[in-house]
Short mmCIF file of all heavy atoms in Angstrom, two decimals:
data_model
loop_
_atom_site.label_atom_id
_atom_site.label_comp_id
_atom_site.label_asym_id
_atom_site.label_seq_id
_atom_site.Cartn_x
_atom_site.Cartn_y
_atom_site.Cartn_z
N ASP A 18 99.03 137.78 183.34
CA ASP A 18 99.65 137.16 182.15
C ASP A 18 98.66 137.05 181.00
O ASP A 18 99.01 137.22 179.85
CB ASP A 18 100.13 135.73 182.49
CG ASP A 18 101.29 135.75 183.44
OD1 ASP A 18 102.04 136.75 183.41
OD2 ASP A 18 101.42 134.81 184.23
N GLN A 58 70.27 145.32 179.31
CA GLN A 58 69.63 144.07 179.78
C GLN A 58 70.56 143.33 180.73
O GLN A 58 70.85 142.15 180.53
CB GLN A 58 69.33 143.15 178.61
CG GLN A 58 68.22 143.57 177.70
CD GLN A 58 68.20 142.67 176.45
OE1 GLN A 58 68.25 141.46 176.53
NE2 GLN A 58 68.14 143.30 175.29
N SER A 66 67.07 140.65 186.54
CA SER A 66 67.89 141.65 185.86
C SER A 66 68.90 142.24 186.85
O SER A 66 68.75 142.10 188.07
CB SER A 66 67.00 142.74 185.28
OG SER A 66 66.29 143.35 186.32
N MET A 77 81.33 144.05 184.03
CA MET A 77 82.36 143.44 183.20
C MET A 77 82.24 141.92 183.18
O MET A 77 81.73 141.30 184.12
CB MET A 77 83.76 143.86 183.66
CG MET A 77 84.35 143.09 184.78
SD MET A 77 86.08 143.61 184.96
CE MET A 77 86.37 143.08 186.64
N ASP A 84 89.78 124.17 182.61
CA ASP A 84 89.90 122.72 182.42
C ASP A 84 89.21 122.03 183.60
O ASP A 84 89.86 121.46 184.46
CB ASP A 84 91.40 122.38 182.36
CG ASP A 84 91.61 120.90 182.10
OD1 ASP A 84 90.65 120.23 181.68
OD2 ASP A 84 92.73 120.43 182.37
N THR A 94 82.82 131.10 190.27
CA THR A 94 82.13 132.13 191.06
C THR A 94 82.84 132.34 192.40
O THR A 94 82.99 133.48 192.86
CB THR A 94 80.66 131.69 191.31
OG1 THR A 94 80.05 131.46 190.04
CG2 THR A 94 79.88 132.75 192.05
N ILE A 99 86.12 135.85 195.94
CA ILE A 99 87.26 136.19 196.83
C ILE A 99 88.16 137.23 196.17
O ILE A 99 88.78 138.05 196.84
CB ILE A 99 88.04 134.95 197.34
CG1 ILE A 99 88.68 134.16 196.22
CG2 ILE A 99 87.17 134.06 198.19
CD1 ILE A 99 89.54 133.01 196.75
N ALA A 100 88.19 137.24 194.83
CA ALA A 100 89.00 138.25 194.13
C ALA A 100 88.40 139.64 194.33
O ALA A 100 89.13 140.61 194.60
CB ALA A 100 89.10 137.92 192.64
N ASP A 120 76.99 136.68 195.95
CA ASP A 120 76.82 138.11 196.26
C ASP A 120 77.90 138.60 197.20
O ASP A 120 78.30 137.90 198.13
CB ASP A 120 75.46 138.35 196.93
CG ASP A 120 74.30 138.24 195.97
OD1 ASP A 120 74.53 138.24 194.75
OD2 ASP A 120 73.15 138.13 196.46
N GLU A 134 78.20 131.85 183.63
CA GLU A 134 77.39 131.07 182.68
C GLU A 134 78.36 130.19 181.90
O GLU A 134 79.39 130.66 181.42
CB GLU A 134 76.63 132.00 181.75
CG GLU A 134 75.71 132.93 182.51
CD GLU A 134 74.84 133.77 181.59
OE1 GLU A 134 73.78 133.31 181.19
OE2 GLU A 134 75.26 134.90 181.26
N PRO A 163 66.73 152.67 192.54
CA PRO A 163 65.28 152.72 192.44
C PRO A 163 64.63 152.15 193.70
O PRO A 163 65.27 151.43 194.48
CB PRO A 163 64.98 151.84 191.22
CG PRO A 163 66.19 151.02 190.99
CD PRO A 163 67.34 151.76 191.58
N ASP A 168 66.54 149.47 199.74
CA ASP A 168 66.79 148.87 201.06
C ASP A 168 67.71 147.66 201.01
O ASP A 168 68.14 147.15 202.04
CB ASP A 168 65.46 148.43 201.69
CG ASP A 168 64.61 149.64 202.04
OD1 ASP A 168 65.19 150.72 202.26
OD2 ASP A 168 63.38 149.49 202.06
N LYS A 199 94.66 130.60 188.36
CA LYS A 199 95.82 129.75 188.01
C LYS A 199 95.94 128.56 188.96
O LYS A 199 96.62 127.58 188.64
CB LYS A 199 97.11 130.57 188.08
CG LYS A 199 97.34 131.46 186.87
CD LYS A 199 98.61 132.25 187.11
CE LYS A 199 99.05 132.99 185.88
NZ LYS A 199 100.17 133.90 186.22
N ASP A 253 67.52 118.02 212.18
CA ASP A 253 68.60 117.06 212.42
C ASP A 253 69.03 116.27 211.19
O ASP A 253 69.76 115.29 211.30
CB ASP A 253 68.23 116.08 213.54
CG ASP A 253 68.14 116.79 214.88
OD1 ASP A 253 68.88 117.78 215.05
OD2 ASP A 253 67.33 116.38 215.71
N SER A 260 71.97 124.39 194.37
CA SER A 260 71.28 125.44 193.63
C SER A 260 70.15 125.92 194.52
O SER A 260 70.05 125.53 195.68
CB SER A 260 70.72 124.90 192.32
OG SER A 260 69.73 123.94 192.61
#
Side-chain angles (χ1 to χ4, degrees):
D18 291 331
Q58 288 170 48
S66 60
M77 84 171 160
D84 182 16
T94 304
I99 62 175
D120 287 346
E134 301 186 86
D168 292 334
K199 281 177 170 172
D253 293 329
S260 65

